Each structure stands twice: as C-alpha cells, then as structure tokens.
Amino acid sequence: MQLEPVFTAVAVGFEVVGATAMVVGALIAVILASRSLGRREGGRAAFMVLRTTLGSAILLGLEVLVAADLIRTITSKPSLEDALILGLIVLIRTVLSMSIQIEIDGVL
C-alpha cells in the first residue's frame, strides 16, 4: 500500500485548516472589534481587540502550516535540498510567530 498519497492528503488537510483558522479568526476579530465599537468602548479598545484576536488567529494558522510542511517534507523522498528549504520555512515562520506574539503581548 502506498502511504505517500495518504500523507499528502493529510498535509493538504493541515494547510486547509491553517488557512481556515486565519480567515475565520480575521472574521471573528472584525466582529469582536465592531461589537466593542458598538458598546462605545472607544476606538482604542476596539483596535486592541482586533489586534489581539487577529494576531492570535495568525499565530494559530502559522503553527498548523508548519505542521503541514513537516508532514509533507518527512513523507516525501528525503533530500538535503528539501531539508534546507523546510528549515528556512520553519525559521521564517518561527521569527514571524515570535514577532506577532511580542506585538500582541507588548513585551519581549
């Protein structure tokens, strides 16, 4: 039995979940910020809700996409080039995740 197509489908599933998490999170962030404005909590409070919720959704999506990349790379025919590309992708996403987390929390 060929397992590569199964793992490819699993990786695609993870990618769909990651992208969906970001899109749904963005919609939820806009709704929560709008509700905050509707309650007359002020623009600053609404912005903070939007920023925090959207940042969290992006972080979740990035983590799931890293998992998809790992699955795709591990289950494909291994090569040094694939490993280096995966390492670079994970490094970029990790730095991006850390930057977003610092931006959300406001501290290093």
Side-chain angles (χ1 to χ4, degrees):
M1 179 178 166
Q2 288 279 358
L3 289 179
E4 190 171 341
V6 173
F7 284 115
T8 300
V10 169
V12 169
F14 269 84
E15 289 170 348
V16 169
V17 169
T20 302
M22 287 190 246
V23 170
V24 170
L27 293 173
I28 291 171
V30 169
I31 291 169
L32 292 177
S34 299
R35 286 180 53 197
S36 182
L37 279 175
R39 291 188 202 134
R40 305 202 189 282
E41 295 174 2
R44 184 165 182 79
F47 172 74
M48 291 305 292
V49 167
L50 178 67
R51 180 177 165 184
T52 303
T53 309
L54 182 58
S56 298
I58 292 170
L59 283 173
L60 176 62
L62 284 173
E63 294 299 327
V64 175
L65 289 173
V66 167
D69 288 337
L70 287 170
I71 291 169
R72 190 177 300 276
T73 302
I74 290 170
T75 59
S76 68
K77 294 175 184 163
S79 72
L80 184 58
E81 184 180 343
D82 287 343
L84 291 174
I85 291 171
L86 175 65
L88 184 61
I89 290 170
V90 170
L91 178 67
I92 291 169
R93 288 186 179 165
T94 300
V95 169
L96 185 58
S97 293
M98 288 174 50
S99 298
I100 293 170
Q101 189 66 47
I102 290 169
E103 191 69 26
I104 290 171
D105 295 340
V107 294
L108 183 59

